[in-house]
């Protein structure tokens, strides 16, 4: 968690974010990192295997999405990963034992149409599965 706390900071622009900042080795000093390439809002994020995963959320023209992006702090690069099985926003996202878990969420940013589903992402296989 300390690595995630040191990495992730965002700049908010009209409720959407695409910029990222990381704390440098000098306490209290921050530096910019590669942009996500696409402004997003209402995402979930988790840190697993030394990488940051930003999952689902709203896009400029969509209230929810299946977009999954992975940031590698060693290379300072983002890449897209396998899409989430369904479009969501406000989903709960966490990591455990190297896998990413997504629980619940909504279909619309205004907290409409709550979803009862749970998904597991295996970064090594770049694959999702629906949990029972």
């Amino acid at each position: 968690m300390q690595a995630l706390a040191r990495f992730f900071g965002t700049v908010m622009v009209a409720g959407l974010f695409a910029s990222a900042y990381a704390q440098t080795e000098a306490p209290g000093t921050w530096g910019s990192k590669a942009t996500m390439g696409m402004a997003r809002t209402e995402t979930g994020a988790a840190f697993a295997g030394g990488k940051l995963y930003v999952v689902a959320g709203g896009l400029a023209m969509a209230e929810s999405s299946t977009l999954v992006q992975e940031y590698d702090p060693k290379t300072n690069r983002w890449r897209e990963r396998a899409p989430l099985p369904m479009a969501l926003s406000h989903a709960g996202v966490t990591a455990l034992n190297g896998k990413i878990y997504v629980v619940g969420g909504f279909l619309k940013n205004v907290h409409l149409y709550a979803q009862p589903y749970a998904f597991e992402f295996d970064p090594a296989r770049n694959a999702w599965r629906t949990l029972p």
Side-chain angles (χ1 to χ4, degrees):
M1 287 306 289
Q2 183 179 18
L4 176 60
R6 288 183 56 181
F7 165 73
F8 202 63
T10 61
V11 172
M12 300 301 288
V13 179
L16 300 173
F17 70 87
S19 299
Y21 294 88
Q23 186 175 0
T24 64
E25 293 301 317
T29 305
W30 291 77
S32 62
K33 295 295 180 180
T35 65
M36 295 173 67
M38 179 179 309
R40 295 165 66 187
T41 185
E42 313 300 352
T43 63
F47 197 73
K51 297 177 182 173
L52 176 69
Y53 295 85
V54 179
V55 180
L59 304 173
M61 301 304 288
E63 291 187 75
S64 58
S65 73
T66 60
L67 183 61
V68 177
Q69 291 176 292
E70 172 192 86
Y71 176 76
D72 185 341
K74 290 181 181 176
T75 62
N76 190 33
R77 292 182 189 230
W78 289 92
R79 69 175 175 162
E80 286 191 27
R81 302 297 297 195
L84 188 64
M86 68 182 301
L88 292 170
S89 70
H90 296 87
V93 179
T94 192
L96 179 65
N97 297 326
K99 294 185 180 176
I100 305 297
Y101 294 89
V102 176
V103 179
F106 298 94
L107 297 181
K108 300 214 174 251
N109 277 341
V110 292
H111 301 136
L112 292 175
Y113 313 113
Q115 299 300 300
Y117 306 108
F119 305 100
E120 176 189 75
F121 178 69
D122 182 345
R125 293 181 37 240
N126 191 33
W128 288 94
R129 74 178 181 110
T130 302
L131 298 175

